[in-house]
């Protein structure tokens, strides 16, 4: 049986590394970190557990930073020069998904931005970025933020995600009123007596939270959450199958420096004011693509058979003409079948279009379908 | 039940007369994780030792399964299509992949017996 290639670069560790090992995790290199890809029960069981109960993920490899300015408007305008989201009009405590863009409108990274809910912290934005991009992102921020804006890289902070339909009930036992928070809002609060910043968001398609805490306190929170019968530890394998079923982009797969947010079908993250006013890198291309449509588009792909189509699989018309490539593909445990995402020429991107996926030289019939593959169950109050 | 032999790539072969049952070892299934799909060869296919004989896919990735010996595929385990999890639950029993009519029984001599395979697993860990 063939074995996957392994990278031998020394890997960084999160504060919970030894705990993952003691829980029986299989550790793999991911974005420079030695991370749990699965625990003893395996990816299928972990995926299903998250969809039905609450899954606890260590995502401390992700980058966290704070941008601090004189007031909200000052810091928001500084960040808006690098991303296409409307940050000026974020309300205190509100969170938004966005992207760092290059001059061509290509995506450098996709990020979450939260305006501090605390009036004493007016002028503070919390930004969470991908692990694999964080060093470049922080350098990008340092190079481009005007000098009165302070960049505070929160290397001393860890990050957990608690995802699933029972996450709100569980977290409310430790964080007062966590279940009262609206989707895509954040708050500084106490977990028992430990200061944390929580946001009601995540990347599984389920209701849930991300919990940012000082690295030296994360083990206590991890254990207290794990002590609940509703909670199990979940590895990166299920994190990936959950986000794939949810139709969410993963940097390095659906997003890279060549893809624009319009091609990636995440133009919902560019609010009206920014579309009209511009003032972000790549505005010319993005504006044109919004008006005329992009030349290629990210789509969902549902194979008719059982064979998964992996990243890099060629997508063709039924006549065999190449129209694109799969960017993420695998098996959806909740869907109980294969599903994939990829880019195709816009002319062939309509929902319902029949295509072929070239898996090991065979043309596998598939359809272009609307995403998500599994309906989102975010908390909408 | 005949003698079971293993390859360094973690396929097993259990010889029953001039036919051999081929699958992946318990170690291989534990390394793969949950199997969600198997692509088996066509009946009658002539395999040479070392050929890609099948593909086994876990949630994360696809892996090739190589023919441990040369021979013709005489039977495939079509039950795996509906129950690929059998490979995880019972790799050397209900999770078998295919039966092969041995073309050259002398090839078996190059494979490891159970004790040698255990020692080999210990040596790679």
């Amino acid at each position: 049986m063939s074995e996957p290639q392994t990278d031998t670069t020394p890997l960084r560790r999160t504060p919970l590394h030894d705990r993952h090992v003691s829980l029986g995790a299989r550790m793999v290199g991911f974005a420079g970190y030695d991370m749990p890809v699965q625990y003893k029960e395996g990816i299928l069981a972990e995926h299903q557990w998250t969809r039905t109960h609450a899954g606890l993920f260590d995502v401390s490899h992700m980058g966290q930073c704070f941008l601090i300015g004189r007031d909200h408007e000052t810091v928001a305008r500084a960040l808006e020069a690098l991303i296409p989201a409307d940050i000026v009009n974020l309300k205190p405590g509100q969170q938004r998904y966005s992207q760092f863009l290059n001059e061509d409108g290509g995506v450098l990274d996709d990020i979450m931005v939260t305006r501090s809910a605390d009036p004493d912290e007016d002028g503070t934005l919390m930004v969470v970025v991908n692990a694999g991009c964080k060093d470049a992102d922080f350098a990008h921020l340092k190079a481009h933020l005007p000098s009165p804006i302070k960049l505070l890289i929160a290397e001393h902070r860890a990050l957990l995600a608690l995802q699933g339909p029972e996450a709100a009930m569980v977290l409310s036992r430790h964080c007062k009123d966590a279940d009262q928070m609206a989707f895509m809002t954040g708050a500084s609060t106490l977990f028992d007596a430990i200061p944390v910043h929580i946001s009601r968001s995540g990347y599984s398609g389920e209701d849930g939270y991300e919990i940012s805490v000082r690295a030296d306190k994360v083990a206590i929170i991890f254990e207290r959450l794990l002590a609940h019968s509703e909670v199990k530890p979940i590895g990166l394998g299920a994190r990936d199958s959950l986000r794939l079923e949810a139709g969410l982009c993963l940097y390095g797969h659906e997003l890279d420096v060549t893809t624009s947010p319009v091609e990636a079908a995440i133009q919902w993250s560019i609010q009206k004011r920014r579309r009209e006013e511009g003032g972000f890198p790549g505005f010319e291309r993005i504006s044109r693509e919004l008006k005329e449509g992009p030349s290629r588009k990210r789509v969902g792909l549902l194979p008719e058979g059982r064979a998964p189509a992996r990243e890099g699989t060629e997508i063709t018309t039924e006549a065999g003409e190449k129209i694109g490539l799969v960017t993420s593909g695998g098996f959806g445990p909740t869907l109980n079948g294969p599903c994939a995402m990829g880019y195709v020429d816009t002319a062939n991107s309509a929902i319902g279009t029949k295509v072929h996926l070239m898996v090991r030289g065979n043309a596998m019939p598939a359809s272009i379908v609307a995403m998500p593959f599994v309906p989102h169950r975010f908390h909408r109050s | 039940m005949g003698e079971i032999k293993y390859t360094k790539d973690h396929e097993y072969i259990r010889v029953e007369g001039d036919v051999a049952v081929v699958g992946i070892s318990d170690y291989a299934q534990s390394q793969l994780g949950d199997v969600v799909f198997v692509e088996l060869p066509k009946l009658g296919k002539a395999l040479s030792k070392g050929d890609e004989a099948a593909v086994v896919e876990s949630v994360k990735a696809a892996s090739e399964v190589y023919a441990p010996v040369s021979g013709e595929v005489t039977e495939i385990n079509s039950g795996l299509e509906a129950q690929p999890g059998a490979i995880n639950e019972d790799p050397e029993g209900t999770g078998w992949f295919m039966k092969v009519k041995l073309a050259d029984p002398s090839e078996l001599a190059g494979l490891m017996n159970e004790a040698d395979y255990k020692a080999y697993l210990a040596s790679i860990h």
Side-chain angles (χ1 to χ4, degrees):
Chain A
M1 202 179 74
S2 59
E3 291 187 54
Q5 296 295 310
T6 45
D7 192 336
T8 54
T9 324
L11 296 169
R12 292 196 259 186
R13 294 177 168 193
T14 77
L16 294 170
H17 180 275
D18 293 354
R19 184 63 179 127
H20 298 313
V21 172
S22 76
L23 284 166
R26 176 174 308 161
M27 307 299 286
V28 296
F30 178 81
Y33 281 80
D34 195 28
M35 297 297 289
V37 66
Q38 64 167 80
Y39 298 86
K40 281 180 185 157
E41 291 188 29
I43 296 173
L44 290 181
E46 291 172 24
H47 178 112
Q48 303 290 18
W49 186 266
T50 306
R51 288 256 186 264
T52 49
H53 301 283
L56 181 59
F57 304 75
D58 177 16
V59 287
S60 302
H61 57 315
M62 297 184 79
Q64 302 180 65
C65 69
F66 297 92
L67 307 189
I68 302 159
R70 188 166 43 109
D71 51 33
H72 176 67
E73 166 121 14
T74 310
V75 71
R77 293 228 177 258
L79 184 58
E80 282 192 358
L82 304 175
I83 69 173
D86 184 345
I87 301 302
V88 169
N89 291 302
L90 268 188
K91 295 183 191 77
Q94 202 183 354
Q95 185 176 47
R96 223 157 233 182
Y97 171 76
S98 192
Q99 309 84 36
F100 288 126
L101 298 177
N102 66 21
E103 288 305 319
D104 303 321
V107 179
L108 296 167
D109 195 8
D110 62 333
I111 65 173
M112 292 289 252
V113 182
T114 312
R115 176 179 176 180
S116 178
D118 185 346
D120 293 341
E121 286 178 2
D122 185 51
T124 299
L125 295 174
M126 183 180 169
V127 181
V128 178
V129 307
N130 279 299
C133 301
K134 66 181 178 183
D135 297 337
D137 288 342
F138 296 149
H140 182 67
L141 284 168
K142 269 183 202 148
H144 291 96
L145 287 177
S147 54
I149 306 292
K150 222 167 73 185
L151 168 67
L152 197 72
I153 300 171
E155 273 168 310
H156 60 295
R157 294 189 80 82
L159 193 65
L160 298 175
L162 185 68
Q163 301 280 298
E166 293 174 349
M169 179 179 67
V170 168
L171 193 61
S172 298
R173 294 175 193 151
H174 301 276
C175 299
K176 191 173 165 288
D177 298 335
D179 57 347
Q180 302 302 307
M181 291 173 72
F183 180 60
M184 293 294 277
T185 65
S188 291
T189 181
L190 293 175
F191 181 106
D192 300 336
I194 303 165
V196 292
H197 185 275
I198 60 177
S199 66
R200 195 159 197 172
S201 56
Y203 228 58
S204 63
E206 298 295 325
D207 183 22
Y209 302 82
E210 292 197 345
I211 305 161
S212 171
V213 59
R214 269 178 43 179
D216 59 353
K217 300 286 186 200
V218 69
I220 302 172
I221 293 181
F222 190 77
E223 292 314 321
R224 286 188 190 168
L225 287 173
L226 220 48
H228 297 291
S229 60
E230 296 91 344
V231 179
K232 287 189 180 182
I234 310 295
L236 292 184
R239 186 171 165 85
D240 193 45
S241 56
L242 289 159
R243 73 93 202 165
L244 174 61
E245 284 186 340
L248 299 169
C249 294
L250 180 61
Y251 195 81
H253 300 263
E254 284 67 45
L255 303 174
D256 62 33
V257 290
T258 73
T259 54
S260 78
V262 186
E263 291 177 333
I266 50 175
Q267 64 268 37
W268 52 265
S269 66
I270 311 175
Q271 285 75 26
K272 187 160 170 268
R273 178 177 70 81
R274 302 306 312 279
R275 294 182 188 208
E276 287 164 1
E277 293 175 7
F280 55 84
F283 175 59
E284 199 187 328
R285 170 186 177 186
I286 287 169
S287 189
R288 188 183 64 240
E289 288 180 348
L290 283 169
K291 236 174 274 148
E292 300 167 12
S295 60
R296 58 174 180 167
K297 259 170 83 173
R298 179 174 66 100
V299 294
L301 297 155
L302 201 61
E304 282 174 21
R306 301 289 296 171
R310 306 287 176 178
E311 181 176 4
T313 299
E314 199 169 282
I315 309 166
T316 73
T317 62
E318 286 184 302
E321 181 200 353
K322 185 182 169 183
I323 53 169
L325 287 174
V326 170
T327 48
S328 288
F331 182 84
T334 303
L335 197 63
N336 189 27
C339 56
M341 292 189 239
Y343 280 88
V344 295
D345 299 339
T346 304
N348 293 293
S349 67
I351 303 294
T353 305
K354 301 283 183 196
V355 297
H356 285 165
L357 302 174
M358 299 305 292
V359 177
R360 294 181 284 275
N362 299 314
M364 313 282 238
S367 297
I368 292 177
V369 297
M371 287 187 286
F373 298 101
V374 171
H376 292 160
R377 296 194 295 176
F378 300 134
H379 174 73
R380 308 276 182 187
S381 47
Chain B
M1 294 240 286
E3 193 195 357
I4 194 159
K5 295 208 161 200
Y6 297 87
T7 69
K8 287 192 169 176
D9 295 318
H10 311 289
E11 290 90 12
Y12 72 80
I13 178 166
R14 198 175 60 239
V15 184
E16 294 166 353
D18 62 349
V19 171
V21 181
V22 175
I24 64 169
S25 72
D26 187 54
Y27 170 81
Q29 73 75 21
S30 75
Q31 291 299 300
L32 277 174
D34 299 314
V35 174
V36 295
F37 179 76
V38 190
E39 192 173 284
L40 296 171
K42 293 223 164 24
L43 273 180
K45 184 170 181 179
L47 295 169
S48 295
K49 183 182 152 103
D51 279 357
E52 279 182 29
V55 176
V56 56
E57 303 218 20
S58 68
V59 183
K60 287 296 285 175
S63 302
E64 286 90 37
V65 175
Y66 304 114
V69 291
S70 307
E72 183 192 319
V73 178
T74 58
E75 200 177 333
I76 53 172
N77 185 359
S78 48
L80 292 179
E81 195 178 327
Q83 299 289 341
I87 294 166
N88 296 114
E89 287 147 23
D90 190 12
E92 294 179 8
T94 56
W96 62 279
F97 279 50
M98 68 196 97
K99 292 184 183 174
V100 174
K101 187 165 192 275
L102 296 176
D104 178 6
S106 74
E107 286 175 348
L108 294 169
L111 302 176
M112 290 176 274
N113 65 24
E114 200 165 353
D116 291 343
Y117 182 61
K118 277 189 181 151
Y120 172 66
L121 289 183
S123 76
I124 59 176
H125 274 272

